[in-house]
Amino acid sequence: MVTHKCCYSSWKVFSGKVLGKPTGYRKAELPSDQMSSSSHSVLLKTGVQMPLLGFGTYKLVSPEDVSRAVDAALLAGYRAFDSAAVYLNEAELGRALKQLLPKHGLTREDVFITSKLGSKDQGERAMEGALHSLSDLDMGYIDLYLIHWPGTKDLEITDPRNSGNRAESWAALEELHAQGKLKAIGVSNYTPAHMRELIQSCKIPPALLQVEFHPKFCQTELRKVCEEYGVCFQAYSSLGKGDLVTDPVVLEVAKNCERTPAQVLLRWAVQQGVPVLPKSSNPDRIKDNARIFDFTLSDTDMDILSALDCGHKFCRDASQVV
């Protein structure tokens, strides 16, 4: 463990290599001090263990759909759940977990809950937005809370007020973190420039960055920035909105491994120490997507998949947000 010093008081980084190297990722397993072999987790700089495998809840809205999916996820071994204010399902997720945790012999402390501040609440409404998430989830605290988007709703992406609003939002999250209501705080969809701006101005550095990441969009520069500052790098859209599971290269690797394309894509990320958030409403698929810790991709397969990198994004692009 080393100590980085910046414009704020010194803060601890757990070896500075939670993510694995952006290149030269030959090692099949993470070092033992960075990933628990029993729980498959990463250590955030707050000292909290976060599961490498989380369950994404985007597009799960109705109480019935949320409950069914959460039940299947808990049965399959998921212990982390990712929501957001804009998903409109925080209350449904909170209710489902309260009802289902006892069924699976679990308590609130056994699960890791992530949610995110909507862009409509960016800036002076950030405190109100975060407290609304806390109220809707009704779980006592949120394990990880993120600024969802670097821009502000109804502002042009070139409007310089976006930067000021981000700073004001972060200050609100820092306050709630100090109160223990948000156990860890971070950001989503930030670019290298956004990350450097935040690191230079914040009192509490971000614990995590959640962004699009898959073989066609390897985010090398952004991963280097995160590694430099000890920020956990987490992937969403690992399957490229479903497009990558039909890619011929992915299909060939999956065939040789006797695994599903989705499992191969998820394993490609976690084998580099990158947490993932697969989402599905299908119980069988939810179960299959969790089976990523009982096999290892060869170095050759890792190289073949990484060679697909062409900078292709399937999701919204934040690179032009000032």
Side-chain angles (χ1 to χ4, degrees):
M1 181 166 60
V2 299
T3 301
H4 270 6
K5 292 185 177 180
C6 199
C7 56
Y8 36 77
S9 59
S10 63
W11 46 280
K12 295 178 180 178
V13 179
F14 297 95
S15 83
K17 298 178 182 178
V18 168
L19 312 176
K21 292 285 187 181
T23 57
Y25 49 72
R26 297 276 177 187
K27 294 292 184 182
E29 295 89 22
L30 289 170
S32 59
D33 65 333
Q34 294 169 29
M35 184 181 79
S36 165
S37 59
S38 59
S39 62
H40 302 291
S41 62
V42 292
L43 189 62
L44 301 183
K45 66 176 60 185
T46 55
V48 175
Q49 294 278 354
M50 185 188 79
L52 270 172
L53 174 68
F55 184 73
T57 64
Y58 177 54
K59 291 191 176 180
L60 291 174
V61 179
S62 76
E64 296 78 18
D65 287 346
V66 172
S67 181
R68 189 181 308 111
V70 169
D71 194 20
L74 289 170
L75 182 63
Y78 294 81
R79 295 296 180 264
F81 295 84
D82 180 89
S83 183
V86 297
Y87 297 173
L88 303 177
N89 63 10
E90 290 173 310
E92 286 72 20
L93 176 61
R95 280 194 293 268
L97 286 169
K98 279 192 171 184
Q99 294 168 2
L100 293 168
L101 287 175
K103 171 184 173 181
H104 294 273
L106 301 169
T107 66
R108 166 66 181 95
E109 289 69 30
D110 294 317
V111 292
F112 189 100
I113 309 301
T114 299
S115 199
K116 311 178 196 77
L117 180 77
S119 61
K120 71 178 181 62
D121 293 323
Q122 189 84 278
E124 63 182 14
R125 294 179 57 182
M127 179 67 74
E128 178 185 352
L131 289 174
H132 193 268
S133 290
L134 275 158
S135 176
D136 274 1
L137 282 162
D138 194 24
M139 300 291 287
Y141 59 91
I142 298 176
D143 296 276
L144 175 65
Y145 198 70
L146 312 176
I147 295 177
H148 203 160
W149 183 253
T152 305
K153 186 178 181 181
D154 297 329
L155 283 187
E156 294 293 331
I157 59 174
T158 56
D159 194 315
R161 287 177 292 177
N162 285 309
S163 178
N165 285 346
R166 285 195 297 274
E168 191 169 357
S169 294
W170 190 255
L173 268 58
E174 288 178 327
E175 184 176 340
L176 291 171
H177 173 67
Q179 295 172 12
K181 295 177 180 178
L182 309 176
K183 298 299 182 183
I185 53 178
V187 293
S188 181
N189 296 300
Y190 274 36
T191 66
H194 297 141
M195 290 298 293
R196 292 189 178 100
E197 173 193 69
L198 174 58
I199 291 292
Q200 289 167 7
S201 64
C202 64
K203 294 179 180 177
I204 300 173
L208 179 142
L209 168 65
Q210 185 186 110
V211 290
E212 180 179 351
F213 176 73
H214 45 70
K216 287 194 174 182
F217 194 49
C218 290
Q219 299 264 41
T220 302
E221 181 187 0
L222 191 53
R223 291 189 68 196
K224 286 180 178 177
V225 172
C226 286
E227 183 177 25
E228 179 182 356
Y229 295 107
V231 178
C232 181
F233 181 96
Q234 184 180 46
Y236 73 72
S237 197
S238 295
L239 312 186
K241 289 192 170 181
D243 284 19
L244 291 177
V245 298
T246 59
D247 184 277
V249 174
V250 177
L251 287 170
E252 184 64 22
V253 171
K255 179 181 177 181
N256 292 337
C257 294
E258 298 183 338
R259 292 284 175 159
T260 69
Q263 288 169 343
V264 164
L265 289 163
L266 294 167
R267 179 66 202 182
W268 173 84
V270 300
Q271 196 158 306
Q272 299 178 68
V274 176
V276 292
L277 296 165
K279 57 185 177 63
S280 177
S281 58
N282 183 301
D284 290 334
R285 204 164 288 157
I286 290 170
K287 181 179 179 181
D288 282 345
N289 289 344
R291 294 182 57 237
I292 57 175
F293 298 110
D294 59 349
F295 77 104
T296 300
L297 293 171
S298 68
D299 289 345
T300 299
D301 286 338
M302 291 290 288
D303 287 339
I304 288 171
L305 292 169
S306 295
L308 292 173
D309 187 20
C310 57
H312 182 77
K313 283 183 65 69
F314 292 94
C315 304
R316 193 178 175 191
D317 186 5
S319 63
Q320 300 303 311
V321 179
V322 173

